[in-house]
Amino acid sequence: MDLSELGAFLKSRRDRVRPADIGLPTGPRRRVPGLRRDEVATVAGVSTDYYVELEQGRGVQPSEQMLAVLSRTLRLTSDERDHLYHLAGRPLPPVHGIAAHVHPGMLDLLDRLPNTPAQVITDLSAPLVQNPLARALLGPPKGGKGIEASFIYQWFADPSVRELYHPDEHAYHSRVFVADMRAVAARRGKDPEVIALTQKLLGISAEFAELWGRRDVGVRRADRKRLIHPVIGELELNCLSLLSEDGTQRLLWFTPVPGTRAVEQLELLAVVGEQEIAQ
């Protein structure tokens, strides 16, 4: 552990990130080449005093969760992320799962889609980060640890997650999820996370077991969905997917189906926002 060097490293990474890179206004007068400390603190969801102590190396020992947030905020590469964890004396997070490092390129694209619902997920459909419009459309992630954070797990284990999807399309989405998961299983090989998820679902869902036994394979790249939103009603959306180079993460974004009311509905959703939806 080297907290002094950790602070210096954080400052060096902060200096290279422009406010526009993380969706902040630039402003007419800036005294620093990159982000201010208070801006990093705001995006990371911590107090400015806490972040200042981190940069000054004054005995604050960041948790693994905080290191993950700072890595995303400062757009660290995988090597830089690993270096940050080493300096903090923390074990490196797994390559897969909800603790995985979000690819900086994915975050950059996400920031450039403020008027489009978009999120980054793992190859097993565990949400990593959402933009505000995606959160308003889909709701916040249901959480869960390990394999239970996977939306595929939740789809077959928790009937309530299907309420957002039109009932006529439930069987279709089940087939798509399972075919995509089998493609992931083949790519990863004998991966413990995939094996654990498969065995868990085989034990709790007859529907999953039947579909898994078909051995259908298909990477999910584009789809059309009818969502039943609690405030704006039913809307038809195209769901598009961009895979990271290593295939471990995906950027999903939703666009209105031409000729439907979805354009106006998404505009309404942006106005209503998550606060109204939560009521």
mmCIF file with all atom_site columns, all heavy atoms in Angstrom, residues 214-228:
data_model
loop_
_atom_site.group_PDB
_atom_site.id
_atom_site.type_symbol
_atom_site.label_atom_id
_atom_site.label_alt_id
_atom_site.label_comp_id
_atom_site.label_asym_id
_atom_site.label_entity_id
_atom_site.label_seq_id
_atom_site.pdbx_PDB_ins_code
_atom_site.Cartn_x
_atom_site.Cartn_y
_atom_site.Cartn_z
_atom_site.occupancy
_atom_site.B_iso_or_equiv
_atom_site.pdbx_formal_charge
_atom_site.auth_seq_id
_atom_site.auth_comp_id
_atom_site.auth_asym_id
_atom_site.auth_atom_id
_atom_site.pdbx_PDB_model_num
ATOM 1   N N   . ARG A 1 214 ? -32.359 -27.373 -25.714 1.00 0.00 ? 214 ARG A N   1
ATOM 2   C CA  . ARG A 1 214 ? -32.469 -27.252 -27.172 1.00 0.00 ? 214 ARG A CA  1
ATOM 3   C C   . ARG A 1 214 ? -31.116 -26.968 -27.832 1.00 0.00 ? 214 ARG A C   1
ATOM 4   O O   . ARG A 1 214 ? -30.937 -27.177 -29.021 1.00 0.00 ? 214 ARG A O   1
ATOM 5   C CB  . ARG A 1 214 ? -33.430 -26.116 -27.525 1.00 0.00 ? 214 ARG A CB  1
ATOM 6   C CG  . ARG A 1 214 ? -34.871 -26.353 -27.123 1.00 0.00 ? 214 ARG A CG  1
ATOM 7   C CD  . ARG A 1 214 ? -35.727 -25.187 -27.613 1.00 0.00 ? 214 ARG A CD  1
ATOM 8   N NE  . ARG A 1 214 ? -37.099 -25.267 -27.153 1.00 0.00 ? 214 ARG A NE  1
ATOM 9   C CZ  . ARG A 1 214 ? -38.039 -24.380 -27.470 1.00 0.00 ? 214 ARG A CZ  1
ATOM 10  N NH1 . ARG A 1 214 ? -37.740 -23.355 -28.277 1.00 0.00 ? 214 ARG A NH1 1
ATOM 11  N NH2 . ARG A 1 214 ? -39.256 -24.501 -27.005 1.00 0.00 ? 214 ARG A NH2 1
ATOM 12  N N   . ARG A 1 215 ? -30.192 -26.371 -27.066 1.00 0.00 ? 215 ARG A N   1
ATOM 13  C CA  . ARG A 1 215 ? -28.854 -26.030 -27.554 1.00 0.00 ? 215 ARG A CA  1
ATOM 14  C C   . ARG A 1 215 ? -28.869 -24.989 -28.682 1.00 0.00 ? 215 ARG A C   1
ATOM 15  O O   . ARG A 1 215 ? -27.990 -24.970 -29.541 1.00 0.00 ? 215 ARG A O   1
ATOM 16  C CB  . ARG A 1 215 ? -28.095 -27.276 -27.987 1.00 0.00 ? 215 ARG A CB  1
ATOM 17  C CG  . ARG A 1 215 ? -27.679 -28.140 -26.803 1.00 0.00 ? 215 ARG A CG  1
ATOM 18  C CD  . ARG A 1 215 ? -26.964 -29.413 -27.215 1.00 0.00 ? 215 ARG A CD  1
ATOM 19  N NE  . ARG A 1 215 ? -26.350 -30.031 -26.061 1.00 0.00 ? 215 ARG A NE  1
ATOM 20  C CZ  . ARG A 1 215 ? -27.013 -30.724 -25.109 1.00 0.00 ? 215 ARG A CZ  1
ATOM 21  N NH1 . ARG A 1 215 ? -28.338 -30.875 -25.228 1.00 0.00 ? 215 ARG A NH1 1
ATOM 22  N NH2 . ARG A 1 215 ? -26.378 -31.243 -24.086 1.00 0.00 ? 215 ARG A NH2 1
ATOM 23  N N   . ASP A 1 216 ? -29.872 -24.130 -28.677 1.00 0.00 ? 216 ASP A N   1
ATOM 24  C CA  . ASP A 1 216 ? -29.892 -23.020 -29.631 1.00 0.00 ? 216 ASP A CA  1
ATOM 25  C C   . ASP A 1 216 ? -28.831 -22.001 -29.235 1.00 0.00 ? 216 ASP A C   1
ATOM 26  O O   . ASP A 1 216 ? -28.599 -21.738 -28.048 1.00 0.00 ? 216 ASP A O   1
ATOM 27  C CB  . ASP A 1 216 ? -31.267 -22.345 -29.637 1.00 0.00 ? 216 ASP A CB  1
ATOM 28  C CG  . ASP A 1 216 ? -32.354 -23.241 -30.199 1.00 0.00 ? 216 ASP A CG  1
ATOM 29  O OD1 . ASP A 1 216 ? -32.016 -24.164 -30.968 1.00 0.00 ? 216 ASP A OD1 1
ATOM 30  O OD2 . ASP A 1 216 ? -33.532 -23.021 -29.864 1.00 0.00 ? 216 ASP A OD2 1
ATOM 31  N N   . VAL A 1 217 ? -28.184 -21.413 -30.244 1.00 0.00 ? 217 VAL A N   1
ATOM 32  C CA  . VAL A 1 217 ? -27.121 -20.435 -30.008 1.00 0.00 ? 217 VAL A CA  1
ATOM 33  C C   . VAL A 1 217 ? -27.382 -19.199 -30.854 1.00 0.00 ? 217 VAL A C   1
ATOM 34  O O   . VAL A 1 217 ? -27.714 -19.314 -32.045 1.00 0.00 ? 217 VAL A O   1
ATOM 35  C CB  . VAL A 1 217 ? -25.735 -21.008 -30.377 1.00 0.00 ? 217 VAL A CB  1
ATOM 36  C CG1 . VAL A 1 217 ? -24.648 -19.964 -30.131 1.00 0.00 ? 217 VAL A CG1 1
ATOM 37  C CG2 . VAL A 1 217 ? -25.444 -22.264 -29.567 1.00 0.00 ? 217 VAL A CG2 1
ATOM 38  N N   . GLY A 1 218 ? -27.240 -18.028 -30.262 1.00 0.00 ? 218 GLY A N   1
ATOM 39  C CA  . GLY A 1 218 ? -27.415 -16.792 -31.019 1.00 0.00 ? 218 GLY A CA  1
ATOM 40  C C   . GLY A 1 218 ? -27.001 -15.592 -30.202 1.00 0.00 ? 218 GLY A C   1
ATOM 41  O O   . GLY A 1 218 ? -27.569 -15.341 -29.130 1.00 0.00 ? 218 GLY A O   1
ATOM 42  N N   . VAL A 1 219 ? -25.980 -14.876 -30.646 1.00 0.00 ? 219 VAL A N   1
ATOM 43  C CA  . VAL A 1 219 ? -25.525 -13.678 -29.945 1.00 0.00 ? 219 VAL A CA  1
ATOM 44  C C   . VAL A 1 219 ? -26.562 -12.580 -30.126 1.00 0.00 ? 219 VAL A C   1
ATOM 45  O O   . VAL A 1 219 ? -27.005 -12.302 -31.245 1.00 0.00 ? 219 VAL A O   1
ATOM 46  C CB  . VAL A 1 219 ? -24.162 -13.211 -30.482 1.00 0.00 ? 219 VAL A CB  1
ATOM 47  C CG1 . VAL A 1 219 ? -23.728 -11.918 -29.790 1.00 0.00 ? 219 VAL A CG1 1
ATOM 48  C CG2 . VAL A 1 219 ? -23.110 -14.299 -30.268 1.00 0.00 ? 219 VAL A CG2 1
ATOM 49  N N   . ARG A 1 220 ? -26.946 -11.955 -29.015 1.00 0.00 ? 220 ARG A N   1
ATOM 50  C CA  . ARG A 1 220 ? -27.977 -10.910 -29.054 1.00 0.00 ? 220 ARG A CA  1
ATOM 51  C C   . ARG A 1 220 ? -27.338 -9.601  -29.505 1.00 0.00 ? 220 ARG A C   1
ATOM 52  O O   . ARG A 1 220 ? -26.558 -8.999  -28.775 1.00 0.00 ? 220 ARG A O   1
ATOM 53  C CB  . ARG A 1 220 ? -28.594 -10.757 -27.662 1.00 0.00 ? 220 ARG A CB  1
ATOM 54  C CG  . ARG A 1 220 ? -29.787 -9.843  -27.602 1.00 0.00 ? 220 ARG A CG  1
ATOM 55  C CD  . ARG A 1 220 ? -30.581 -10.100 -26.336 1.00 0.00 ? 220 ARG A CD  1
ATOM 56  N NE  . ARG A 1 220 ? -29.785 -9.963  -25.136 1.00 0.00 ? 220 ARG A NE  1
ATOM 57  C CZ  . ARG A 1 220 ? -29.930 -8.964  -24.257 1.00 0.00 ? 220 ARG A CZ  1
ATOM 58  N NH1 . ARG A 1 220 ? -30.827 -8.028  -24.463 1.00 0.00 ? 220 ARG A NH1 1
ATOM 59  N NH2 . ARG A 1 220 ? -29.181 -8.922  -23.184 1.00 0.00 ? 220 ARG A NH2 1
ATOM 60  N N   . ARG A 1 221 ? -27.665 -9.148  -30.718 1.00 0.00 ? 221 ARG A N   1
ATOM 61  C CA  . ARG A 1 221 ? -27.086 -7.921  -31.254 1.00 0.00 ? 221 ARG A CA  1
ATOM 62  C C   . ARG A 1 221 ? -28.132 -6.826  -31.476 1.00 0.00 ? 221 ARG A C   1
ATOM 63  O O   . ARG A 1 221 ? -27.830 -5.647  -31.294 1.00 0.00 ? 221 ARG A O   1
ATOM 64  C CB  . ARG A 1 221 ? -26.374 -8.207  -32.573 1.00 0.00 ? 221 ARG A CB  1
ATOM 65  C CG  . ARG A 1 221 ? -25.142 -9.101  -32.431 1.00 0.00 ? 221 ARG A CG  1
ATOM 66  C CD  . ARG A 1 221 ? -24.404 -9.240  -33.757 1.00 0.00 ? 221 ARG A CD  1
ATOM 67  N NE  . ARG A 1 221 ? -23.170 -9.990  -33.609 1.00 0.00 ? 221 ARG A NE  1
ATOM 68  C CZ  . ARG A 1 221 ? -23.074 -11.307 -33.718 1.00 0.00 ? 221 ARG A CZ  1
ATOM 69  N NH1 . ARG A 1 221 ? -24.165 -12.030 -33.982 1.00 0.00 ? 221 ARG A NH1 1
ATOM 70  N NH2 . ARG A 1 221 ? -21.912 -11.923 -33.573 1.00 0.00 ? 221 ARG A NH2 1
ATOM 71  N N   . ALA A 1 222 ? -29.317 -7.198  -31.894 1.00 0.00 ? 222 ALA A N   1
ATOM 72  C CA  . ALA A 1 222 ? -30.385 -6.225  -32.137 1.00 0.00 ? 222 ALA A CA  1
ATOM 73  C C   . ALA A 1 222 ? -31.714 -6.904  -31.894 1.00 0.00 ? 222 ALA A C   1
ATOM 74  O O   . ALA A 1 222 ? -31.870 -8.105  -32.130 1.00 0.00 ? 222 ALA A O   1
ATOM 75  C CB  . ALA A 1 222 ? -30.305 -5.671  -33.556 1.00 0.00 ? 222 ALA A CB  1
ATOM 76  N N   . ASP A 1 223 ? -32.670 -6.122  -31.429 1.00 0.00 ? 223 ASP A N   1
ATOM 77  C CA  . ASP A 1 223 ? -33.960 -6.692  -31.083 1.00 0.00 ? 223 ASP A CA  1
ATOM 78  C C   . ASP A 1 223 ? -35.015 -5.605  -31.130 1.00 0.00 ? 223 ASP A C   1
ATOM 79  O O   . ASP A 1 223 ? -34.696 -4.411  -31.176 1.00 0.00 ? 223 ASP A O   1
ATOM 80  C CB  . ASP A 1 223 ? -33.906 -7.277  -29.667 1.00 0.00 ? 223 ASP A CB  1
ATOM 81  C CG  . ASP A 1 223 ? -34.709 -8.553  -29.542 1.00 0.00 ? 223 ASP A CG  1
ATOM 82  O OD1 . ASP A 1 223 ? -35.573 -8.792  -30.396 1.00 0.00 ? 223 ASP A OD1 1
ATOM 83  O OD2 . ASP A 1 223 ? -34.449 -9.309  -28.585 1.00 0.00 ? 223 ASP A OD2 1
ATOM 84  N N   . ARG A 1 224 ? -36.268 -6.012  -31.123 1.00 0.00 ? 224 ARG A N   1
ATOM 85  C CA  . ARG A 1 224 ? -37.390 -5.076  -31.014 1.00 0.00 ? 224 ARG A CA  1
ATOM 86  C C   . ARG A 1 224 ? -38.203 -5.475  -29.789 1.00 0.00 ? 224 ARG A C   1
ATOM 87  O O   . ARG A 1 224 ? -38.488 -6.652  -29.584 1.00 0.00 ? 224 ARG A O   1
ATOM 88  C CB  . ARG A 1 224 ? -38.255 -5.085  -32.265 1.00 0.00 ? 224 ARG A CB  1
ATOM 89  C CG  . ARG A 1 224 ? -39.439 -4.136  -32.187 1.00 0.00 ? 224 ARG A CG  1
ATOM 90  C CD  . ARG A 1 224 ? -40.124 -3.975  -33.533 1.00 0.00 ? 224 ARG A CD  1
ATOM 91  N NE  . ARG A 1 224 ? -39.265 -3.267  -34.478 1.00 0.00 ? 224 ARG A NE  1
ATOM 92  C CZ  . ARG A 1 224 ? -39.661 -2.862  -35.691 1.00 0.00 ? 224 ARG A CZ  1
ATOM 93  N NH1 . ARG A 1 224 ? -40.901 -3.096  -36.089 1.00 0.00 ? 224 ARG A NH1 1
ATOM 94  N NH2 . ARG A 1 224 ? -38.831 -2.240  -36.494 1.00 0.00 ? 224 ARG A NH2 1
ATOM 95  N N   . LYS A 1 225 ? -38.538 -4.486  -28.977 1.00 0.00 ? 225 LYS A N   1
ATOM 96  C CA  . LYS A 1 225 ? -39.229 -4.769  -27.722 1.00 0.00 ? 225 LYS A CA  1
ATOM 97  C C   . LYS A 1 225 ? -40.470 -3.903  -27.592 1.00 0.00 ? 225 LYS A C   1
ATOM 98  O O   . LYS A 1 225 ? -40.489 -2.751  -28.024 1.00 0.00 ? 225 LYS A O   1
ATOM 99  C CB  . LYS A 1 225 ? -38.305 -4.477  -26.525 1.00 0.00 ? 225 LYS A CB  1
ATOM 100 C CG  . LYS A 1 225 ? -37.012 -5.282  -26.495 1.00 0.00 ? 225 LYS A CG  1
ATOM 101 C CD  . LYS A 1 225 ? -36.164 -4.883  -25.301 1.00 0.00 ? 225 LYS A CD  1
ATOM 102 C CE  . LYS A 1 225 ? -34.815 -5.603  -25.309 1.00 0.00 ? 225 LYS A CE  1
ATOM 103 N NZ  . LYS A 1 225 ? -34.970 -7.035  -25.048 1.00 0.00 ? 225 LYS A NZ  1
ATOM 104 N N   . ARG A 1 226 ? -41.485 -4.485  -26.955 1.00 0.00 ? 226 ARG A N   1
ATOM 105 C CA  . ARG A 1 226 ? -42.641 -3.724  -26.500 1.00 0.00 ? 226 ARG A CA  1
ATOM 106 C C   . ARG A 1 226 ? -42.581 -3.677  -24.979 1.00 0.00 ? 226 ARG A C   1
ATOM 107 O O   . ARG A 1 226 ? -42.717 -4.705  -24.314 1.00 0.00 ? 226 ARG A O   1
ATOM 108 C CB  . ARG A 1 226 ? -43.944 -4.370  -26.970 1.00 0.00 ? 226 ARG A CB  1
ATOM 109 C CG  . ARG A 1 226 ? -44.273 -4.114  -28.420 1.00 0.00 ? 226 ARG A CG  1
ATOM 110 C CD  . ARG A 1 226 ? -45.678 -4.608  -28.751 1.00 0.00 ? 226 ARG A CD  1
ATOM 111 N NE  . ARG A 1 226 ? -45.761 -6.056  -28.726 1.00 0.00 ? 226 ARG A NE  1
ATOM 112 C CZ  . ARG A 1 226 ? -46.902 -6.736  -28.756 1.00 0.00 ? 226 ARG A CZ  1
ATOM 113 N NH1 . ARG A 1 226 ? -48.066 -6.093  -28.782 1.00 0.00 ? 226 ARG A NH1 1
ATOM 114 N NH2 . ARG A 1 226 ? -46.902 -8.052  -28.742 1.00 0.00 ? 226 ARG A NH2 1
ATOM 115 N N   . LEU A 1 227 ? -42.341 -2.501  -24.456 1.00 0.00 ? 227 LEU A N   1
ATOM 116 C CA  . LEU A 1 227 ? -42.222 -2.332  -23.012 1.00 0.00 ? 227 LEU A CA  1
ATOM 117 C C   . LEU A 1 227 ? -43.502 -1.716  -22.458 1.00 0.00 ? 227 LEU A C   1
ATOM 118 O O   . LEU A 1 227 ? -44.124 -0.863  -23.104 1.00 0.00 ? 227 LEU A O   1
ATOM 119 C CB  . LEU A 1 227 ? -41.023 -1.451  -22.665 1.00 0.00 ? 227 LEU A CB  1
ATOM 120 C CG  . LEU A 1 227 ? -39.651 -1.941  -23.165 1.00 0.00 ? 227 LEU A CG  1
ATOM 121 C CD1 . LEU A 1 227 ? -38.555 -1.003  -22.683 1.00 0.00 ? 227 LEU A CD1 1
ATOM 122 C CD2 . LEU A 1 227 ? -39.379 -3.374  -22.713 1.00 0.00 ? 227 LEU A CD2 1
ATOM 123 N N   . ILE A 1 228 ? -43.874 -2.126  -21.266 1.00 0.00 ? 228 ILE A N   1
ATOM 124 C CA  . ILE A 1 228 ? -45.046 -1.596  -20.584 1.00 0.00 ? 228 ILE A CA  1
ATOM 125 C C   . ILE A 1 228 ? -44.561 -0.731  -19.433 1.00 0.00 ? 228 ILE A C   1
ATOM 126 O O   . ILE A 1 228 ? -44.245 -1.220  -18.343 1.00 0.00 ? 228 ILE A O   1
ATOM 127 C CB  . ILE A 1 228 ? -45.954 -2.721  -20.054 1.00 0.00 ? 228 ILE A CB  1
ATOM 128 C CG1 . ILE A 1 228 ? -46.213 -3.770  -21.130 1.00 0.00 ? 228 ILE A CG1 1
ATOM 129 C CG2 . ILE A 1 228 ? -47.253 -2.126  -19.520 1.00 0.00 ? 228 ILE A CG2 1
ATOM 130 C CD1 . ILE A 1 228 ? -46.958 -3.248  -22.324 1.00 0.00 ? 228 ILE A CD1 1
#
